[in-house]
């Protein structure tokens, strides 16, 4: 299995990294992608990717943090080129639910991330909350450049999925699909093609059932994978095979 989105630089994961990795490997995790959210976060990620061979990283600014982390496209490109284990841009995108940063600043930052990802030919990891129309509109503007898009922790509507499908997007399932009140989302994931699915924890957030209420960690990804297999009506081993292959095709195959 591959956890395509976690935050190993955040507590309590960073304080218990050795144990976290032992438990991750014990459930069959082959790779962990730890995600940048701020400039300070990225400094930690540069150390994390050297800590263990299974840890990979990204560079990007979370939409919540864009006002306090103003960056340029060139800075993103420069940072990603620092290390071959930096394999994606993000997380970036739009969050109009909390609006911790002004909308126009979020939008400008998002565009810079997209342009950097296109130049580097690496995926952009997209956060979208209460911003479906704007997210699609911005990404669709760059359609001719064929950006590699991963909709992280996808919780969007079925109609949003169908729009993003037009851009050849990938969709990552988090522990939210295990929640009892996520019937609509479960229905959407049941209809997403197997070759477009990834799995993630977004740890230390969003622990899946039956661990809900605890601090999430990468080893809990097995519960999300199990639920996704159930929704797709296939064996657990097959969902692991498909999501692992999809991650490798998206992030590690620059020809793709």
């Amino acid at each position: 299995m591959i956890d395509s989105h976690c935050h190993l630089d955040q507590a309590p994961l960073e304080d218990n990294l050795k144990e976290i990795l032992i438990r991750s490997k014990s459930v069959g995790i082959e790779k962990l992608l730890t995600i940048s959210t701020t400039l300070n976060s990225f400094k930690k990620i540069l150390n994390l990717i050297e800590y263990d061979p299974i840890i990979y990283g990204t560079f990007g600014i979370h939409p919540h943090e864009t006002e306090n982390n103003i960056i340029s496209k060139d800075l993103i490109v420069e940072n990603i080129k620092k290390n071959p284990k930096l394999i994606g841009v993000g997380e970036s995108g739009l969050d109009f639910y909390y609006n911790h940063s002004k909308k126009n600043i979020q939008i400008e930052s998002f565009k810079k991330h997209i342009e950097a990802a296109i130049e580097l030919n690496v995926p952009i990891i997209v956060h979208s909350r209460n911003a479906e129309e704007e997210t699609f509109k911005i990404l669709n503007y760059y359609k001719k450049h064929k950006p590699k898009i991963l909709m992280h922790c996808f919780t969007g509507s079925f109609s949003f999925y169908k729009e993003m499908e037009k851009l050849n997007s990938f969709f990552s399932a988090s522990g939210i699909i295990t929640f009892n009140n996520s019937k609509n989302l479960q229905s959407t994931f049941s209809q997403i093609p197997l070759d477009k699915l990834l799995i993630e924890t977004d740890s230390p957030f969003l622990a899946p059932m039956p661990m809900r209420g605890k601090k999430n960690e990468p080893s809990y990804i097995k519960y999300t994978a199990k639920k996704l297999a159930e929704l797709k009506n296939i064996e657990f081993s097959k969902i692991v095979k498909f999501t692992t292959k999809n991650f490798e095709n998206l992030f590690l195959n620059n020809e793709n």
Side-chain angles (χ1 to χ4, degrees):
M1 288 180 288
I2 295 177
D3 186 351
S4 66
H5 195 112
C6 58
H7 298 278
L8 298 179
D9 63 301
Q10 297 193 26
L13 302 184
E14 67 172 339
D15 303 319
N16 301 279
L17 190 56
K18 183 178 179 180
E19 293 78 11
I20 292 293
L21 287 169
I22 289 170
R23 290 194 289 270
S24 297
K25 293 173 184 178
S26 73
V27 301
I29 290 177
E30 298 175 359
K31 294 180 180 68
L32 298 169
L33 185 57
T34 187
I35 306 295
S36 168
T37 55
T38 66
L39 293 170
N40 284 333
S41 164
F42 180 64
K43 292 176 183 177
K44 294 182 180 181
I45 285 168
L46 287 175
N47 291 323
L48 285 165
I49 60 177
E50 300 299 331
Y51 185 86
D52 191 281
I54 74 167
I55 302 175
Y56 291 75
T58 68
F59 175 70
I61 306 300
H62 192 287
H64 288 340
E65 309 292 344
T66 50
E67 280 193 45
N68 296 319
N69 293 264
I70 302 297
I71 56 170
S72 65
K73 183 198 77 169
D74 290 343
L75 182 65
I76 300 169
V77 171
E78 175 187 319
N79 276 305
I80 292 288
K81 286 182 174 179
K82 283 183 177 180
N83 191 303
K85 291 186 77 180
L86 296 170
I87 57 175
V89 170
E91 67 186 277
S92 182
L94 306 173
D95 194 313
F96 296 164
Y97 181 81
Y98 286 109
N99 280 317
H100 288 326
S101 291
K102 292 184 179 69
K103 288 185 179 182
N104 64 308
I105 295 177
Q106 290 188 47
I107 289 168
E108 286 308 308
S109 181
F110 188 25
K111 289 177 179 178
K112 291 171 186 174
H113 283 77
I114 297 167
E115 290 164 9
I118 290 168
E119 180 174 329
L120 291 160
N121 191 32
V122 299
I124 179 161
I125 298 153
V126 179
H127 172 115
S128 180
R129 189 169 186 188
N130 280 36
E132 292 187 355
E133 182 179 344
E134 297 90 344
T135 300
F136 175 74
K137 182 179 179 181
I138 291 168
L139 287 165
N140 190 55
Y141 175 80
Y142 294 95
K143 184 177 181 178
K144 66 181 178 181
H145 300 289
K146 298 182 179 179
K148 297 178 179 181
I149 301 167
L150 174 57
M151 300 305 296
H152 133 71
C153 189
F154 186 71
T155 56
S157 63
F158 182 76
S159 61
F160 184 41
Y161 150 62
K162 294 301 288 183
E163 289 290 274
M164 292 306 305
E165 187 181 40
K166 297 173 185 176
L167 302 181
N168 201 32
S169 300
F170 287 75
F171 301 86
S172 184
S174 71
I176 294 174
I177 68 165
T178 70
F179 297 173
N180 293 329
N181 61 352
S182 294
K183 300 301 183 186
N184 289 339
L185 184 63
Q186 291 169 5
S187 175
T188 296
F189 267 99
S190 73
Q191 298 174 74
I192 298 176
L194 282 168
D195 63 355
K196 292 297 179 184
L197 291 171
L198 278 75
I199 50 176
E200 66 171 90
T201 58
D202 202 14
S203 51
F205 315 106
L206 302 175
M209 298 292 289
M211 313 307 283
R212 195 171 182 185
K214 297 184 177 181
K215 287 291 184 181
N216 201 4
E217 64 172 74
S219 65
Y220 295 171
I221 201 165
K222 61 184 179 182
Y223 300 111
T224 299
K226 181 180 178 182
K227 183 64 178 181
L228 190 56
E230 176 188 315
L231 294 173
K232 300 299 291 180
N233 196 28
I234 62 174
E235 295 175 0
F236 177 82
S237 61
K238 288 187 177 180
I239 206 70
V240 169
K241 179 181 177 181
F242 273 102
T243 55
T244 299
K245 182 180 178 182
N246 294 342
F247 178 94
E248 291 175 344
N249 284 341
L250 181 61
F251 283 97
L252 302 176
N253 181 3
N254 286 330
E255 306 272 325
N256 199 27

